[in-house]
Amino acid sequence: MLKNNLKTAWRSLLRNKLQTGINIVGLAIGIAGCLSVFLLAEYELSHNKTIIDAERIYRVTTEFTGEFKGVNSGVPTAVEEVAGTVVQGTDVQCFLHTYSANVNIPGELSSTAIKKFKTQKDLVVTGPEFFDLIQNFEWVVGAPRQSLGAPNQVVLTERKAKLYFGLKDPREAMGRTVVYSDSLQMTVAGILQDPTFRSDFVFNDFISAQTIPSSFLKNEFPQNEWGSVRSADQFYIKVAEGVSKEAATKMLLPLKERKMAYEEEDISTTEFVPQPLSDLHFNAELGIFDWSPAPAHKSTLYGLMLIAGLLLLIAAINFINLSTVQATQRSKEAGVRKVIGASRHQLTWQFLVETALLTLLTIPVAMALSELAMRYFAEFLPEGLSIDFWSPQIIGFLVAAVVVVTFLAGLYPSFIMSSFHPAFAIKNQSGSGIGKNSSKLRKSLIVFQFVLAQAFIIGAMIIGKQMNYVLHKDLGFDQDSVVYFYTYGQPDAKKKIFLDRLQTLPEVTAATLQNKPPIDRGYQTSVLTFERNSEQVKAEVHFRYVDTAFVRLYGIELLAGRNLLPTDTVSEFLINETLLRDLGYASPADAVGNTVKYGDKPIAIAGVVKNFHVRSLHHAIPPMALTADTRSAWAVAAKFSKDKPFAEVMEKMGGVWKEVYGDAEMHHFVLNETIEKLYASEARISKLINVATGLAILVSCLGLFGLAFFTVTQRSKEISIRKVLGATVTQVVGLLSKDMIALVVIALVIASPLAYYFMEKWLQDFAYAITIPWWIFVVAGLAAVGVAFLTVGFQSMKAALANPVESLRSE
C-alpha cells in the first residue's frame, strides 16, 4: 500500500512540475530559516544549563538607586573581607577577578628563546572555592585546594598547557613556569580537562587569589575598597536546596548595611542583588565578563523564532492554496478511486504521503540554504556555533520538520481531495459548497501572507530609518578620524612618551590622554555630594579621566568657565548640563567656582560643557564630570588628518607604538567603529528583517504566481471568448489582476496598525528615537501592490496576448 502511494505521489509531483517547484522553493526557505534559528537558539539557550546545581548559583550584583539608577555586575572588593562573616546560609562563596595579560614562557635552558603570547583574555584570579561553585570541571592532575591553595600557583586547561609549552601530554606542564605581564611568575600546579559543557565560564588560566597581596596584582585589584565597583570583581554564591531568590536577597542585606555604614549614606543608595545563573547569558545591562562577547538577546532570539515560523507558515499557505486550486483538476482521479473502492481515509493518506515525499525532497535544499545563511550571517553568530547535519539534534529537528510540515500543509488539501462526491467528481464538478469554501480560504490565506510581508516591509523601513538616525545624530562631539590606544598593563611612565611621539607625526592633528572615549559601552561612576535646597544630596556621576587636550580634540563646546588645568589628581571638574541641572543652578555661569564633594574633598567646578552622549542612544545623557586625573587615564587618543589613507596612518602609529612599547600587543580602536558597535544588536536585527522581508515577499509572490497560472489556465476559454467579442489587452489584464490586487490592499489596511504598534514598542527602547512618518505605510503599500501586480500581471499579460483560436479550437 505504501509503495503504491509513493509511486502515485512521485508521478503526481512529476506531472505538476510548476507547482512542485514552487512548493519546494517555498518550503525549503521556511525549513532553512527554522533550521538556522533552531541551531542558534539551541546554542544560546543551552548555556549554563548543564552546570551542576545551576539553579542554586547566583552572581551578586550591585544596584544603585536614588539620584542615579544603574547596575554593575561586580561588587566592591571590600565585600570579600566581610562576606564570610556577615552573609549566612550559603553553601559556597566564591570571588573571582577577570584578568588579561601577555604571557611569556621561559626557555628550559638559558639558550632557549622565550616564547611570547599576545594578550590572553581568558584568565581569572580566584581560589579553590571556584571549583566548589562550578563542579563540572574534571581534573587531569591536581585538586582545588592543592593546586590553588598557595601564592604563585596557576591551573591550566589541557588546551592552554599544550599551547604554552608545545606538549603532546599536557601533564608534563606540571611544575613549569608561566610569566604574566612580564613579571608575575606562576608555577603550574594543576591541569584541567578541556571543558565539554557549554557555559560562560570559559576560563583557561586559573591564577591563585593568594597571589594578590604579594604581587603587583594588589594594584590591579585593590582590596578592602568600598568606594568603587568594577565589573572585573565578581562575587558568586551557591545557596542551599530550596532557597528562593527572595531568600537569597535577604541573605545579602548585611552587605548593604556594611556599605552604608562605611559611606554614611542613605540606606537606599546601594543594593546587592542576586542574579540567577540562568540570567547570566542573556542580561545585556549587566553583561557577562569584561572580555566576553555581548550577551545573547533573548527577546531577539524569540523574535527570530517567530520570523522563521512565519516564513514556514507562508510557505505552507502557498502549498495549501496551490493544492486546493489543483484539487479541481484532480477531482476525476479522486472520483475514479472512490468508485473502485478507495475510502476517504485512504485518499487522505495518499495525499499526506505525497506531501511528505515533497517535504523530504525539500530537506536537502533547505540544508544547503541553511549553510548559506550561516555563512551570510557569520559576523553576527557566536564563535562556537557550527553545523553538524549528522548530530542527533539536527536529525531530530529535520524529522520533526517533515512531520509538522506534512500535517500543517497537507491536512486541509487532503480533506478537500477526499471530500469530492464520485458522481460530481467524474463529471468534473467538485461541488459548489466545497468550491466556495476553498475559494474563501484561499483569499483569506493570501491576505494573511501579504499582511506578514507588508509588516516586514514597514518594519524594515522603520528600523533602517532609526539606524540611520542613531548613526548620524550629532553626539555633541567630533567623532571623525579618531583612533585610541589602550595602554592598560604597560608602564605608566610610557604613556606620556607615546602621546608625545604621536604628536610628532605630521598626520596627527591632536592627541589626548583619557580613560575612555567620550562614548562607550562600559562606564565608570562615582558619588558626588552637594547641597541642593539646603539639603545634602548624593548623585552617581559618570566620570572621564582626561588631560587638558580632551575638550579640544573632540570639539566639545565649553558653555562657561575655563578648561581644566594640567594635573595628575582630581582637583577640579568640568560638568555637563545634566549635572548642572541636578545641582540646581539656573545657568552655566552660576555653577563656575562653586564646589562639590568628591569623597571628603571639596572640588571646584572649573567650567560647564555642553551635553554630549556618553552611552548609546538607548540611554538619556547622564550627569557627567571631566577631571584631569591623568594617572587614571590609560588610553591615548589621536586625531588624524584625512589627507592620507588610513592604513598608511595606522602603519606610522604602529611604528611609534613599537618604538615605545616594543613587542607588547597594540590594542587600538577607531571611534566611529566603537559607536557602530554600540548598535550591533540593532544592526543584526536590521539585516535579519531585511532578509526576512525579501524572503516573505519572494515566497508570497511565488504563491501568487502559481495561483495566477492556474487561474489563467482555468479561465483560458473565457478570456478567448472575451477577446473575440472585442475585449482589449488592458481590459483582460485588469479583469485577471483586480481581485488579487484588492486582497493585497486589504492586507495593507490590516498590516499597517499592527506594524505601527510593534515598531512603536521597539522604538521605546531608545531614549532618542524617530517619529514614525506616515509616508512609510504608503511606500510599503505601493511596493507590495507593485510587486503583486508584476507577479499576477505577467501571467495576465501572457493570457491576454495569446491567440484565442488556440483555446477555442477544441470547441
Side-chain angles (χ1 to χ4, degrees):
M1 184 68 177
L2 179 60
K3 182 178 180 182
N4 182 56
N5 282 336
L6 286 171
K7 282 184 177 179
T8 304
W10 179 250
R11 289 169 185 163
S12 177
L13 294 178
L14 291 179
R15 189 165 54 249
N16 301 285
K17 293 184 177 65
L18 177 63
Q19 179 186 356
T20 301
I22 290 174
N23 284 331
I24 285 178
V25 172
L27 289 175
I29 289 172
I31 293 174
C34 288
L35 176 57
S36 301
V37 172
F38 168 78
L39 288 169
L40 179 61
E42 191 275 333
Y43 177 84
E44 298 288 15
L45 294 173
S46 64
H47 271 73
N48 305 323
K49 290 281 187 181
T50 58
I51 289 178
I52 298 169
D53 297 327
E55 71 285 352
R56 295 167 51 198
I57 298 175
Y58 295 88
R59 176 169 68 175
V60 179
T61 65
T62 305
E63 183 175 306
F64 306 104
T65 58
E67 290 289 328
F68 170 82
K69 294 184 179 180
V71 292
N72 194 303
S73 60
V75 295
T77 56
V79 169
E80 189 167 0
E81 300 294 324
V82 301
T85 304
V86 303
V87 179
Q88 302 297 320
T90 59
D91 287 355
V92 179
Q93 294 185 10
C94 174
F95 289 86
L96 61 85
H97 309 276
T98 56
Y99 185 51
S100 60
N102 62 295
V103 175
N104 294 334
I105 307 297
E108 294 184 5
L109 303 173
S110 58
S111 59
T112 307
I114 296 175
K115 292 172 67 175
K116 296 185 178 182
F117 296 90
K118 291 185 177 180
T119 302
Q120 304 293 299
K121 296 181 179 180
D122 52 351
L123 318 180
V124 64
V125 181
T126 189
E129 58 276 3
F130 177 86
F131 298 100
D132 297 328
L133 183 80
I134 310 297
Q135 298 179 39
N136 298 60
F137 286 93
E138 299 289 339
W139 289 81
V140 177
V141 184
R145 278 152 188 81
Q146 167 194 328
S147 303
L148 285 179
N152 301 104
Q153 290 182 321
V154 65
V155 173
L156 303 176
T157 59
E158 291 177 305
R159 184 183 72 82
K160 268 302 184 72
K162 291 176 182 178
L163 174 69
Y164 288 162
F165 299 103
L167 302 169
K168 290 185 179 180
D169 184 355
R171 290 175 294 185
E172 295 178 13
M174 289 291 290
R176 299 197 181 192
T177 300
V178 182
V179 181
Y180 297 93
S181 296
D182 300 323
S183 62
L184 186 65
Q185 294 195 14
M186 309 294 292
T187 301
V188 179
I191 302 292
L192 297 167
Q193 287 184 12
D194 292 328
T196 55
F197 60 100
R198 193 172 286 167
S199 81
D200 291 306
F201 297 93
V202 287
F203 303 116
N204 285 288
D205 300 46
F206 298 82
I207 297 171
S208 169
Q210 292 197 28
T211 310
I212 295 175
S214 59
S215 69
F216 66 81
L217 290 180
K218 63 178 178 287
N219 300 319
E220 301 275 355
F221 311 114
Q223 301 300 289
N224 203 27
E225 173 64 56
W226 282 110
S228 63
V229 181
R230 303 189 318 158
S231 55
D233 308 315
Q234 298 199 0
F235 177 35
Y236 291 78
I237 59 174
K238 180 188 286 187
V239 299
E241 288 188 22
V243 175
S244 66
K245 182 182 176 182
E246 291 72 22
T249 303
K250 290 180 181 178
M251 290 180 186
L252 301 173
L253 287 176
L255 289 180
K256 180 173 73 171
E257 294 168 1
R258 285 296 184 98
K259 187 176 191 305
M260 296 305 103
Y262 169 79
E263 295 190 347
E264 298 181 354
E265 297 175 356
D266 188 328
I267 199 166
S268 66
T269 299
T270 305
E271 301 279 349
F272 292 100
V273 180
Q275 178 193 12
L277 193 61
S278 58
D279 185 54
L280 190 68
H281 191 68
F282 300 100
N283 195 310
E285 189 173 19
L286 286 166
I288 305 172
F289 300 114
D290 288 347
W291 44 265
S292 297
H297 197 270
K298 194 175 283 188
S299 298
T300 301
L301 207 56
Y302 291 151
L304 288 177
M305 293 179 190
L306 177 62
I307 290 172
L310 291 175
L311 287 176
L312 184 58
L313 185 58
I314 291 173
I317 287 171
N318 277 352
F319 188 97
I320 294 169
N321 280 342
L322 296 177
S323 298
T324 53
V325 169
Q326 194 192 22
T328 55
Q329 298 179 342
R330 299 181 64 181
S331 59
K332 285 185 180 180
E333 174 191 341
V336 170
R337 285 180 177 274
K338 280 196 170 185
V339 167
I340 63 177
S343 67
R344 185 169 180 176
H345 171 76
Q346 288 172 323
L347 287 174
T348 301
W349 178 247
Q350 177 205 328
F351 197 84
L352 287 176
V353 169
E354 188 175 313
T355 308
L357 179 60
L358 178 69
T359 308
L360 284 171
L361 293 174
T362 299
I363 293 299
V365 182
M367 291 165 70
L369 289 176
S370 180
E371 188 155 1
L372 285 174
M374 301 296 270
R375 290 181 183 178
Y376 181 69
F377 290 106
E379 61 186 300
F380 298 142
L381 297 176
E383 195 173 314
L385 181 61
S386 61
I387 302 180
D388 177 9
F389 288 121
W390 298 107
S391 68
Q393 294 93 333
I394 292 184
I395 291 174
F397 171 84
L398 293 176
V399 170
V402 171
V403 173
V404 169
V405 171
T406 297
F407 283 94
L408 179 67
L411 204 56
Y412 182 78
S414 67
F415 169 77
I416 294 292
M417 285 287 291
S418 62
S419 297
F420 293 144
H421 192 281
F424 289 116
I426 292 173
K427 292 178 183 180
N428 206 21
Q429 298 173 353
S430 58
S432 59
I434 292 175
K436 287 179 181 178
N437 289 335
S438 61
S439 176
K440 288 178 182 177
L441 176 68
R442 281 198 304 274
K443 290 179 179 179
S444 300
L445 294 178
I446 289 170
V447 169
F448 181 76
Q449 280 185 311
F450 273 90
V451 165
L452 296 178
Q454 291 186 75
F456 280 141
I457 294 172
I458 294 167
M461 293 177 69
I462 292 173
I463 290 173
K465 191 168 178 60
Q466 174 66 11
M467 287 298 293
N468 183 68
Y469 172 75
V470 298
L471 292 175
H472 295 92
K473 184 182 183 298
D474 181 11
L475 299 178
F477 60 87
D478 187 357
Q479 65 192 60
D480 294 327
S481 306
V482 176
V483 62
Y484 57 99
F485 305 79
Y486 277 115
T487 66
Y488 190 76
Q490 303 300 327
D492 186 50
K494 288 188 176 182
K495 67 185 179 187
K496 186 66 169 62
I497 299 172
F498 180 58
L499 175 77
D500 293 339
R501 296 275 181 88
L502 281 179
Q503 293 183 95
T504 64
L505 297 177
E507 294 83 5
V508 174
T509 58
T512 187
L513 292 175
Q514 60 187 37
N515 67 322
K516 288 179 178 295
I519 190 170
D520 198 14
R521 187 172 68 179
Y523 58 90
Q524 186 168 350
T525 63
S526 289
V527 175
L528 294 184
T529 306
F530 53 91
E531 188 174 294
R532 187 176 62 192
N533 298 328
S534 303
E535 292 185 2
Q536 288 290 311
V537 180
K538 295 179 182 294
E540 200 79 16
V541 177
H542 285 245
F543 267 70
R544 288 292 185 270
Y545 299 101
V546 301
D547 69 6
T548 57
F550 184 87
V551 171
R552 180 172 60 86
L553 185 145
Y554 290 108
I556 296 170
E557 185 179 348
L558 188 65
L559 299 178
R562 57 167 174 78
N563 193 8
L564 298 168
L565 298 175
T567 181
D568 60 357
T569 59
V570 178
S571 57
E572 56 184 1
F573 290 143
L574 290 179
I575 65 171
N576 70 351
E577 293 173 284
T578 304
L579 183 52
L580 175 78
R581 184 184 64 245
D582 291 349
L583 292 173
Y585 293 110
S587 70
D590 292 341
V592 176
N594 288 292
T595 62
V596 292
K597 276 193 175 182
Y598 178 66
D600 295 329
K601 184 180 178 183
I603 304 294
I605 299 172
V608 179
V609 296
K610 190 172 183 179
N611 269 352
F612 60 89
H613 289 273
V614 299
R615 300 181 72 187
S616 73
L617 267 65
H618 291 283
H619 308 276
I621 298 176
M624 157 68 70
L626 305 176
T627 184
D629 178 5
T630 54
R631 293 176 306 173
S632 302
W634 286 98
V636 176
K639 188 171 183 63
F640 54 90
S641 64
K642 297 181 180 179
D643 296 340
K644 291 187 178 179
F646 177 69
E648 186 177 328
V649 174
M650 281 309 306
E651 186 178 354
K652 288 191 174 183
M653 290 184 179
V656 174
W657 176 276
K658 192 170 182 65
E659 288 177 15
V660 177
Y661 293 108
D663 294 331
E665 185 178 2
M666 183 175 74
H667 298 283
H668 70 281
F669 303 87
V670 179
L671 183 57
N672 277 329
E673 293 176 359
T674 298
I675 294 171
E676 289 179 8
K677 287 177 182 176
L678 295 175
Y679 308 103
S681 176
E682 287 73 23
R684 283 195 294 270
I685 293 171
S686 179
K687 190 172 182 178
L688 288 166
I689 291 294
N690 288 338
V691 171
T693 300
L695 293 178
I697 293 171
L698 172 63
V699 176
S700 299
C701 288
L702 280 174
L704 270 187
F705 182 84
L707 286 174
F709 175 80
F710 284 116
T711 301
V712 168
T713 301
Q714 288 176 331
R715 300 177 68 178
S716 58
K717 287 185 174 61
E718 175 196 344
I719 295 167
S720 297
I721 292 170
R722 287 179 179 274
K723 288 190 68 178
V724 168
L725 294 176
T728 64
V729 171
T730 303
Q731 288 172 327
V732 172
V733 171
L735 174 71
L736 296 174
S737 302
K738 65 179 182 180
D739 289 342
M740 295 293 187
I741 301 304
L743 296 177
V744 176
V745 173
I746 292 171
L748 175 64
V749 174
I750 298 171
S752 295
L754 287 174
Y756 179 86
Y757 173 78
F758 286 108
M759 294 315 301
E760 186 70 22
K761 294 275 285 184
W762 180 75
L763 289 172
Q764 287 174 8
D765 194 38
F766 292 84
Y768 305 87
I770 62 167
T771 301
I772 300 176
W774 62 267
W775 56 261
I776 280 182
F777 302 95
V778 176
V779 171
L782 291 175
V785 169
V787 170
F789 182 77
L790 288 174
T791 304
V792 177
F794 174 78
Q795 288 293 338
S796 303
M797 184 68 73
K798 187 177 177 182
L801 294 174
N803 188 345
V805 174
E806 297 295 328
S807 232
L808 296 173
R809 181 178 294 167
S810 62
E811 299 295 323

